[in-house]
């Protein structure tokens, strides 16, 4: 008999087909599967979920045979890792394979804000170019300073890309990362004060919640731009909306939000703000690679081996 697993978010068809081959897959996102899940819950030994979705402790309680939570992503902020370990549940992620795409998203957001790409698209479609209206000049990244908040794999990949654009790189990280040769700063505020583009790449957890606050934004200054490819919770959204509204900072490029996919309505009218629907790792190539890692972790678990990318 095939082992039973619960899939919380859709994956690529090719990956779901492979899951179906190996497992009896219950799908929580399909309404007609609810009854089946209710019946199957004592048999479900694995859950596959997204980094932004995770699995709550209540949901874990609901699944008595659960042995592995395979996150299709790198964020672990939506799973209580300690509780999972205490219950002998492995939690796995998909590290490495999404680094480049998330870093590319950071660059795309930065250029879109500095060079008004999204705004230019609207300007042309609305016929304003044809009417002879003036489009604002952009800002060149060359010679500017990128400050990276959180120098993990994604932060490093973003810094390497920014260097190609002629930017100098500074960073703040919990532990020093001297091998990069980039300028270390001792607080997020000091980093912001020495940055033109503040790139938020730090993992979300209790220590980083709201770490980008009103003080940090004020230090970034009226010509400064913030990019967030990490998690919405790292930034104090009240402070950010206020800073955008009153011109304390020049703009923002955001892929992540508190409470997504429902976001604060003020973002929709926020000046010089580019919004993305949490697409950092969303390319076909990377979603296949992430799916392969999810499959490798599940196969190892069901073979009685340690899943290769366990994080707890
Ligand atoms: C991640 O890897 O955690 C992405 O943000 C997807 O949720």
């Amino acid at each position: 008999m095939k082992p039973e697993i619960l899939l919380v978010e859709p994956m690529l068809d090719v990956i779901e087909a492979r899951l179906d081959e190996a497992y009896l897959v219950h799908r929580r996102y399909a309404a007609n599967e609810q009854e089946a899940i209710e019946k199957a819950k004592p048999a479900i030994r694995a859950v596959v979920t997204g980094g932004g979705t995770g699995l709550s402790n209540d949901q874990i309680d609901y699944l008595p045979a659960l042995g592995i939570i395979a996150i299709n992503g790198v964020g672990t902020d939506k799973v209580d890792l300690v509780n999972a370990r205490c219950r002998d549940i492995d939690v796995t992620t998909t590290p490495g394979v999404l680094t480049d795409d998330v870093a590319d998203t950071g660059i795309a957001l930065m250029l879109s804000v500095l060079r008004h790409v999204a705004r230019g698209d609207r300007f042309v479609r609305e016929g304003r170019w044809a009417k002879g209206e003036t489009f604002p000049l952009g800002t060149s990244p060359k010679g500017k300073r990128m400050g990276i908040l959180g120098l993990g794999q994604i932060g490093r990949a973003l810094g390497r890309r920014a260097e190609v654009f002629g930017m100098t790189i500074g960073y703040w990280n919990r532990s020093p990362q001297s091998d990069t040769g980039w300028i270390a700063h001792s607080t997020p505020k000091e980093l912001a004060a020495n940055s033109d583009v503040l790139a938020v790449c730090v993992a979300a957890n209790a220590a980083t919640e709201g770490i980008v606050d009103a003080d940090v934004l004020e230090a970034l200054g009226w010509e400064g731009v913030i990019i967030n490819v990490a998690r919405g919770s790292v930034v104090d959204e009240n402070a950010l909306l206020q800073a955008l509204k009153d011109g304390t900072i020049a703009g923002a490029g955001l892929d992540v939000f508190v409470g997504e996919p429902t976001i604060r309505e003020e973002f929709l009218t926020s000046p010089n703000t580019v919004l993305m629907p949490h697409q950092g790792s969303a390319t076909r190539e990377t979603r296949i690679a992430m799916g392969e890692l999810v499959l490798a972790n599940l196969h190892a678990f069901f073979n009685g081996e340690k899943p290769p990318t366990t994080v707890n």
Side-chain angles (χ1 to χ4, degrees):
M1 249 187 14
K2 287 178 179 177
E4 300 192 27
I5 73 169
L6 175 62
L7 183 58
V8 169
E9 275 186 2
M11 297 175 80
L12 276 183
D13 287 357
V14 284
I15 299 295
E16 288 205 21
R18 304 250 312 270
L19 287 172
D20 284 323
E21 249 168 54
Y23 308 107
L24 177 54
V25 183
H26 303 279
R27 290 166 168 84
R28 198 180 79 188
Y29 56 89
N32 58 6
E33 288 278 342
Q34 288 308 330
E35 214 177 301
I37 293 165
E38 190 58 44
K39 282 202 194 114
K41 68 179 187 178
I44 290 172
R45 295 187 55 210
V47 168
V48 180
T49 184
T53 305
L55 198 71
S56 69
N57 284 342
D58 285 351
Q59 290 168 320
I60 290 175
D61 284 345
Y62 179 80
L63 301 167
L66 189 62
I68 178 170
I69 301 168
I71 297 175
N72 188 31
V74 290
T76 56
D77 51 310
K78 293 283 169 61
V79 176
D80 181 342
L81 297 181
V82 175
N83 177 52
R85 187 71 282 149
C86 291
R87 289 162 168 255
D88 208 19
I89 298 168
D90 292 325
V91 180
T92 63
T93 59
T94 61
V97 294
L98 48 67
T99 303
D100 287 330
D101 277 345
V102 179
D104 288 351
T105 302
I107 292 293
L109 285 169
M110 176 182 80
L111 290 178
S112 191
V113 176
L114 293 182
R115 301 300 309 272
H116 309 308
V117 178
R119 195 165 163 182
D121 178 83
R122 290 194 293 272
F123 187 82
V124 175
R125 288 173 200 273
E126 287 163 9
R128 295 167 59 194
W129 187 25
K131 279 190 209 139
E133 280 186 45
T134 311
F135 191 72
L137 289 178
T139 301
S140 172
K142 189 173 172 185
K144 303 296 189 306
R145 303 161 299 171
M146 174 178 277
I148 301 174
L149 194 77
L151 206 59
Q153 291 187 43
I154 293 168
R156 284 167 178 257
L158 186 51
R160 288 193 297 273
R161 282 159 173 73
E163 281 184 319
V164 175
F165 286 88
M167 302 181 80
T168 55
I169 316 296
Y171 70 91
W172 170 85
N173 197 65
R174 214 163 16 120
S175 52
Q177 306 280 313
S178 50
D179 60 312
T180 57
W182 295 337
I183 306 157
H185 293 281
S186 50
T187 61
K189 187 173 171 182
E190 184 188 298
L191 175 70
N194 290 283
S195 301
D196 300 296
V197 176
L198 181 65
V200 181
C201 301
V202 74
N205 52 46
T208 59
E209 185 168 347
I211 200 173
V212 178
D213 57 13
D215 276 359
V216 171
L217 294 167
E218 200 179 329
L220 182 58
W222 65 278
E223 288 181 304
V225 163
I226 184 171
I227 301 303
N228 190 358
V229 289
R231 284 289 186 268
S233 62
V234 176
V235 176
D236 175 343
E237 287 190 345
N238 285 327
L240 175 60
L241 284 162
Q242 191 61 43
L244 287 163
K245 194 168 157 202
D246 62 21
T248 303
I249 65 170
L254 308 169
D255 186 41
V256 285
F257 303 84
V258 173
E260 61 186 47
T262 308
I263 67 165
R264 300 269 300 267
E265 237 179 89
E266 298 100 301
F267 278 119
L268 306 181
T269 50
S270 191
N272 210 17
T273 305
V274 176
L275 311 173
M276 290 271 289
H278 200 148
Q279 293 293 294
S281 63
T283 64
R284 185 169 175 83
E285 295 84 346
T286 290
R287 288 293 163 87
I288 288 175
M290 291 164 70
E292 295 286 355
L293 268 179
V294 167
L295 284 160
N297 281 309
L298 292 177
H299 294 342
F301 170 77
F302 285 111
N303 282 331
E305 295 155 16
K306 188 176 161 56
T309 57
T310 303
V311 288
N312 68 332

